Amino acid sequence: MRNPFTEDQPRPVRYSFWFLLFLFGHMLLNHLDRTASEMARAADPGLLDIFRAITEAGDSKWTLVPTGVLGLASIAAGWFLLADRRVATMARWAGSALMFVFASVALSGIAVNIVKVVVGRARPKLLEQAGFLGFDPMILNANFHSFPSGHTNTAVAFALAVSFIVPSWRGALLAAACLIGFSRIAVNAHFVTDVIGGGALAIATTYWLRGWFTSQGWVFHRESGGSYRLLWPGLVLPLTAGRTLRRLWDTGAIQPPGRVRQA
C-alpha cells in the first residue's frame, strides 16, 4: 500500500487523509477534555484545596510586579546612582534581565488575552451546569475565555525566561510550571487542551523575545554556532555576589542561620 501522504497521491486523497487525521485528533482531545473535567469534579475536596493554593502561583501579579519594579530600579541605579563603572554595568544588566522576564510574561499574557476573546471557548463549569462544550467567539464574557490557560501561560513564560538566565534552574522551574498547569485542570478552571495551548503560546513568545533582546544587545548574545550566551555582566555578577557574601560572612556583618550575635 502506497503512503497516502506522499506527493504522488492525488490531492483529494492527501487532503482526505489529513482531514481524517485532524478529525481523529479532535475527537481524542475532546474525549480527554471531558474525562479530565469529570475526574476533577469528583476529586477529594481536601486535595482540591491544595491545588487551589498552587494555582494562585500562576497569577501574573506575582511575577510582573516584582520583576518590573526591581528591573527598573536596577537600571536606574546603574545609570544614575552607582559611581563604580563595573558595578553600574552589572546593575544595568541585572535590570535588563529582570525586564526580560517581565516582558516575557507580559507579552505572552497579552497574546493569551487576545486569543481568549477570538476563540471564545466555554469554561468547564458550563459543561457541568448546562452540558455546553463549545465556542462563542469575540465575546468579553469570562465564562468563554477558557482557551488558552492564562495561569499556565504565565507559569511557563516565567519558568522559561528565568531558565534562559539561570539554566541550572530549568528543570525545577518547568516542573513547577507543569504543576501549576495541572492545578488549573484539577480546580476545573480549564480543560487539558487549554493548558497545552497556554504553555505552547508561552514557549513561542518567550523564544521570540529572547531573539529580539539579543538583537538589541540586551542580556544575551548569539554565538556563531547559533547558541545563546549571557553577556559578560551575567557571567561575572554571580561570582561578584558570592565573593561579597563571603566577605560579609567573614567580617560578621551577616550571621549564619541560628547564630545570635553576642552583645
Side-chain angles (χ1 to χ4, degrees):
M1 180 178 178
R2 290 193 301 171
N3 188 340
F5 300 104
T6 57
E7 290 294 330
D8 61 340
Q9 290 284 3
R11 284 188 178 182
V13 174
R14 297 202 309 271
Y15 292 163
S16 295
F17 273 98
W18 281 115
F19 176 76
L20 289 174
L21 184 63
F22 171 80
L23 184 62
F24 175 76
H26 174 72
M27 292 171 60
L28 180 64
L29 291 174
N30 186 56
H31 176 72
L32 178 62
D33 281 342
R34 284 181 175 271
T35 302
S37 180
E38 291 169 359
M39 291 175 64
R41 292 197 300 272
D44 179 79
L47 186 61
L48 290 180
D49 289 338
I50 297 175
F51 281 117
R52 289 189 185 98
I54 293 173
T55 203
E56 176 63 19
D59 194 315
S60 59
K61 66 175 180 286
W62 301 117
T63 52
L64 288 177
V65 173
T67 56
V69 171
L70 292 175
L72 292 175
S74 297
I75 293 172
W79 281 113
F80 305 112
L81 298 178
L82 298 173
D84 186 285
R85 185 174 179 180
R86 184 180 177 87
V87 174
T89 301
M90 287 191 287
R92 291 196 297 271
W93 180 89
S96 298
L98 287 166
M99 292 308 297
F100 168 69
V101 178
F102 172 89
S104 297
V105 174
L107 177 65
S108 197
I110 291 171
V112 158
N113 288 331
I114 293 173
V115 175
K116 280 178 180 288
V117 174
V118 172
V119 173
R121 187 182 194 185
R123 289 190 183 270
K125 66 179 181 180
L126 295 185
L127 174 62
E128 178 183 355
Q129 296 169 0
F132 181 74
L133 179 63
F135 301 85
D136 194 351
M138 306 305 294
I139 188 171
L140 298 180
N141 187 340
N143 288 331
F144 292 87
H145 291 172
S146 189
F147 182 89
S149 167
H151 282 63
T152 306
N153 177 268
T154 293
V156 173
F158 177 80
L160 199 56
V162 174
S163 71
F164 284 156
I165 300 168
V166 191
S168 61
W169 294 2
R170 179 166 298 171
L173 287 169
L174 291 178
C178 290
L179 184 60
I180 291 172
F182 182 78
S183 74
R184 300 304 289 163
I185 302 169
V187 300
N188 208 33
H190 287 284
F191 295 106
V192 173
T193 46
D194 300 335
V195 169
I196 295 172
L201 187 56
I203 292 171
T205 54
T206 306
Y207 268 91
W208 177 85
L209 196 63
R210 182 178 65 169
W212 186 80
F213 264 64
T214 303
S215 70
Q216 303 302 310
W218 299 337
V219 187
F220 311 97
H221 74 94
R222 194 170 185 180
E223 297 183 336
S224 57
S227 60
Y228 288 85
R229 294 289 185 268
L230 299 178
L231 294 173
W232 73 261
L235 302 175
V236 174
L237 185 59
L239 300 175
T240 303
R243 285 197 298 266
T244 302
L245 288 174
R246 284 194 297 270
R247 190 182 308 117
L248 293 173
W249 186 290
D250 293 338
T251 58
I254 58 175
Q255 300 296 314
R259 178 178 168 184
V260 180
R261 183 189 295 271
Q262 298 296 325

